[in-house]
Amino acid sequence: MAESDETASTHVANAEPILSLVDIHKYFGRLEILKGISIDVAPKEVISIIGASGSGKSTLLRCVNLLELPTSGNIFFEKQAIDYRRPPGLFGGNPVLSSLRKQIGMVFQNYNLWPHLTVLENVVEAPVLVKREPRATAIERGRHLLDRIGLLDKQGELPGRLSGGQQQRVAIVRALAMQPKLMLFDEVTSALDPELVGEVLALMAKLAFEGMTMLVVTHEMSFAREVSDRTIFIDGGTIVEEGPSAAVLTSPQHERTQQFLDRVLRPYRAVEDSK
């Protein structure tokens, strides 16, 4: 989490990227969604990705852990080139891809918890099945993580008995149980009632403060400004503007960024003007 624009810039300049996306293109049929995206992500850096719906933000995030396969371009994780071009049927035999999936956690807009498993079972399932951890070890870590977010008393509940905010926090903990080096968040507050958004953002801010590397697709401008080291504005599948979050969000240099922020922030400015 950035302490200042200068600190963030120095940190990024001096660190070897944990993730590099180089000229990423993505087509769905003849429709080009991503048009040459390149991003370096430093260890412990928090990057917010903003933009209008349909601009390619979520597709970009899904290309990072290969839930969507890029049409072209290169992905490097910890300097290792990720060979995503193998046919899908061979993925199980690709140790590089297998390792990538274990080290990158992702949290989605709609929780995606298994409804038939308890909260604790949701958290421990992947470490046991994917990483082959002893169940006792996974359970101990799972309970510790649930205790950290104040939901240990819900460990035996089914997800359907929790509030949306509680379910999303469990989804975050489920990803953390894999001990990832990078976390991806795809508009994780969009499906929540307004009063529940704060508890999820507070957990994400805590993770940032503790040094988790994060790529966050978000419409929460306050989170981007106060927590992210950098903010990237994407429009039409291209990066229009990027830089320290405070600079991009308060003094954008590109006209398209200014237009987007004016529309997003207009309701808040109207409230301020009426005071």
Side-chain angles (χ1 to χ4, degrees), residues 235-258:
D235 187 58
T238 64
I239 294 177
V240 173
E241 187 164 350
E242 65 177 307
S245 293
V248 170
L249 296 170
T250 60
S251 302
Q253 299 303 300
H254 197 282
E255 181 180 1
R256 181 66 188 94
T257 315
Q258 295 172 12

Short mmCIF file of all heavy atoms in Angstrom, two decimals, residues 235-258:
data_model
loop_
_atom_site.label_atom_id
_atom_site.label_comp_id
_atom_site.label_asym_id
_atom_site.label_seq_id
_atom_site.Cartn_x
_atom_site.Cartn_y
_atom_site.Cartn_z
N ASP A 235 -9.66 1.74 -21.36
CA ASP A 235 -10.82 2.09 -22.17
C ASP A 235 -10.68 1.45 -23.54
O ASP A 235 -9.63 1.57 -24.18
CB ASP A 235 -10.95 3.61 -22.30
CG ASP A 235 -12.24 4.03 -22.98
OD1 ASP A 235 -13.32 3.67 -22.48
OD2 ASP A 235 -12.17 4.71 -24.03
N GLY A 236 -11.71 0.74 -23.96
CA GLY A 236 -11.66 0.11 -25.27
C GLY A 236 -10.54 -0.89 -25.45
O GLY A 236 -10.02 -1.05 -26.56
N GLY A 237 -10.17 -1.55 -24.36
CA GLY A 237 -9.15 -2.59 -24.45
C GLY A 237 -7.72 -2.10 -24.47
O GLY A 237 -6.79 -2.87 -24.72
N THR A 238 -7.51 -0.81 -24.19
CA THR A 238 -6.15 -0.26 -24.15
C THR A 238 -5.96 0.52 -22.85
O THR A 238 -6.92 1.00 -22.24
CB THR A 238 -5.87 0.69 -25.33
OG1 THR A 238 -6.73 1.83 -25.24
CG2 THR A 238 -6.10 -0.01 -26.66
N ILE A 239 -4.71 0.65 -22.42
CA ILE A 239 -4.38 1.48 -21.27
C ILE A 239 -4.32 2.93 -21.73
O ILE A 239 -3.47 3.30 -22.54
CB ILE A 239 -3.06 1.06 -20.62
CG1 ILE A 239 -3.19 -0.35 -20.02
CG2 ILE A 239 -2.64 2.06 -19.53
CD1 ILE A 239 -1.89 -0.89 -19.43
N VAL A 240 -5.23 3.73 -21.21
CA VAL A 240 -5.30 5.14 -21.59
C VAL A 240 -4.40 5.97 -20.68
O VAL A 240 -3.72 6.90 -21.14
CB VAL A 240 -6.75 5.66 -21.52
CG1 VAL A 240 -6.81 7.17 -21.75
CG2 VAL A 240 -7.61 4.92 -22.55
N GLU A 241 -4.39 5.62 -19.38
CA GLU A 241 -3.60 6.40 -18.43
C GLU A 241 -3.24 5.53 -17.24
O GLU A 241 -4.03 4.68 -16.81
CB GLU A 241 -4.39 7.63 -17.97
CG GLU A 241 -3.59 8.60 -17.11
CD GLU A 241 -4.25 9.97 -16.99
OE1 GLU A 241 -5.23 10.23 -17.71
OE2 GLU A 241 -3.77 10.77 -16.17
N GLU A 242 -2.05 5.70 -16.72
CA GLU A 242 -1.64 5.00 -15.51
C GLU A 242 -0.63 5.86 -14.77
O GLU A 242 0.05 6.70 -15.34
CB GLU A 242 -1.04 3.63 -15.83
CG GLU A 242 0.26 3.66 -16.63
CD GLU A 242 0.82 2.26 -16.84
OE1 GLU A 242 0.99 1.54 -15.85
OE2 GLU A 242 1.08 1.91 -18.00
N GLY A 243 -0.55 5.62 -13.46
CA GLY A 243 0.39 6.35 -12.65
C GLY A 243 0.03 6.21 -11.18
O GLY A 243 -0.87 5.45 -10.82
N PRO A 244 0.73 6.95 -10.30
CA PRO A 244 0.36 6.94 -8.88
C PRO A 244 -1.12 7.27 -8.72
O PRO A 244 -1.65 8.16 -9.40
CB PRO A 244 1.26 8.03 -8.29
CG PRO A 244 2.44 8.10 -9.21
CD PRO A 244 1.88 7.82 -10.58
N SER A 245 -1.77 6.56 -7.83
CA SER A 245 -3.23 6.65 -7.74
C SER A 245 -3.72 8.07 -7.49
O SER A 245 -4.69 8.52 -8.11
CB SER A 245 -3.74 5.71 -6.65
OG SER A 245 -3.53 4.37 -7.03
N ALA A 246 -3.08 8.77 -6.57
CA ALA A 246 -3.54 10.13 -6.27
C ALA A 246 -3.49 11.02 -7.49
O ALA A 246 -4.39 11.83 -7.74
CB ALA A 246 -2.70 10.72 -5.14
N ALA A 247 -2.45 10.86 -8.31
CA ALA A 247 -2.30 11.69 -9.50
C ALA A 247 -3.36 11.36 -10.55
O ALA A 247 -4.00 12.25 -11.12
CB ALA A 247 -0.90 11.52 -10.09
N VAL A 248 -3.56 10.08 -10.81
CA VAL A 248 -4.52 9.68 -11.84
C VAL A 248 -5.94 10.08 -11.44
O VAL A 248 -6.72 10.55 -12.27
CB VAL A 248 -4.45 8.16 -12.09
CG1 VAL A 248 -5.60 7.69 -12.98
CG2 VAL A 248 -3.11 7.79 -12.72
N LEU A 249 -6.28 9.92 -10.17
CA LEU A 249 -7.66 10.11 -9.73
C LEU A 249 -8.01 11.55 -9.38
O LEU A 249 -9.18 11.91 -9.35
CB LEU A 249 -7.95 9.20 -8.54
CG LEU A 249 -7.88 7.70 -8.87
CD1 LEU A 249 -7.95 6.87 -7.60
CD2 LEU A 249 -8.99 7.30 -9.83
N THR A 250 -7.01 12.36 -9.10
CA THR A 250 -7.30 13.76 -8.78
C THR A 250 -6.86 14.73 -9.87
O THR A 250 -7.45 15.81 -10.00
CB THR A 250 -6.61 14.18 -7.46
OG1 THR A 250 -5.19 14.01 -7.59
CG2 THR A 250 -7.12 13.32 -6.30
N SER A 251 -5.86 14.36 -10.65
CA SER A 251 -5.38 15.24 -11.73
C SER A 251 -5.11 14.44 -12.99
O SER A 251 -3.96 14.40 -13.48
CB SER A 251 -4.11 15.98 -11.28
OG SER A 251 -4.33 16.73 -10.11
N PRO A 252 -6.13 13.78 -13.56
CA PRO A 252 -5.89 12.97 -14.75
C PRO A 252 -5.43 13.83 -15.92
O PRO A 252 -5.89 14.97 -16.09
CB PRO A 252 -7.27 12.34 -15.02
CG PRO A 252 -8.25 13.26 -14.36
CD PRO A 252 -7.55 13.80 -13.15
N GLN A 253 -4.55 13.29 -16.73
CA GLN A 253 -3.97 14.05 -17.84
C GLN A 253 -4.70 13.80 -19.16
O GLN A 253 -4.62 14.62 -20.07
CB GLN A 253 -2.48 13.67 -17.99
CG GLN A 253 -1.64 13.97 -16.77
CD GLN A 253 -1.70 15.43 -16.38
OE1 GLN A 253 -1.34 16.31 -17.16
NE2 GLN A 253 -2.17 15.70 -15.17
N HIS A 254 -5.37 12.66 -19.27
CA HIS A 254 -6.03 12.32 -20.53
C HIS A 254 -7.50 12.72 -20.46
O HIS A 254 -8.17 12.50 -19.46
CB HIS A 254 -5.89 10.82 -20.80
CG HIS A 254 -6.17 10.44 -22.21
ND1 HIS A 254 -7.45 10.35 -22.71
CD2 HIS A 254 -5.34 10.13 -23.25
CE1 HIS A 254 -7.41 9.98 -23.99
NE2 HIS A 254 -6.14 9.85 -24.33
N GLU A 255 -8.01 13.27 -21.54
CA GLU A 255 -9.40 13.73 -21.57
C GLU A 255 -10.38 12.60 -21.30
O GLU A 255 -11.38 12.79 -20.60
CB GLU A 255 -9.71 14.38 -22.92
CG GLU A 255 -11.13 14.92 -23.02
CD GLU A 255 -11.42 15.55 -24.37
OE1 GLU A 255 -10.51 15.55 -25.23
OE2 GLU A 255 -12.55 16.04 -24.56
N ARG A 256 -10.09 11.41 -21.84
CA ARG A 256 -11.01 10.27 -21.64
C ARG A 256 -11.06 9.88 -20.16
O ARG A 256 -12.12 9.53 -19.64
CB ARG A 256 -10.57 9.08 -22.49
CG ARG A 256 -11.49 7.87 -22.36
CD ARG A 256 -12.87 8.14 -22.94
NE ARG A 256 -13.79 7.04 -22.63
CZ ARG A 256 -14.60 6.99 -21.58
NH1 ARG A 256 -14.64 8.01 -20.72
NH2 ARG A 256 -15.38 5.96 -21.38
N THR A 257 -9.92 9.93 -19.47
CA THR A 257 -9.90 9.64 -18.03
C THR A 257 -10.72 10.67 -17.28
O THR A 257 -11.50 10.33 -16.37
CB THR A 257 -8.46 9.64 -17.50
OG1 THR A 257 -7.61 8.92 -18.38
CG2 THR A 257 -8.40 9.01 -16.11
N GLN A 258 -10.58 11.93 -17.64
CA GLN A 258 -11.34 12.99 -16.99
C GLN A 258 -12.84 12.78 -17.17
O GLN A 258 -13.62 12.92 -16.23
CB GLN A 258 -10.93 14.34 -17.57
CG GLN A 258 -9.48 14.73 -17.28
CD GLN A 258 -9.05 15.99 -18.02
OE1 GLN A 258 -9.87 16.70 -18.58
NE2 GLN A 258 -7.76 16.24 -18.04
#
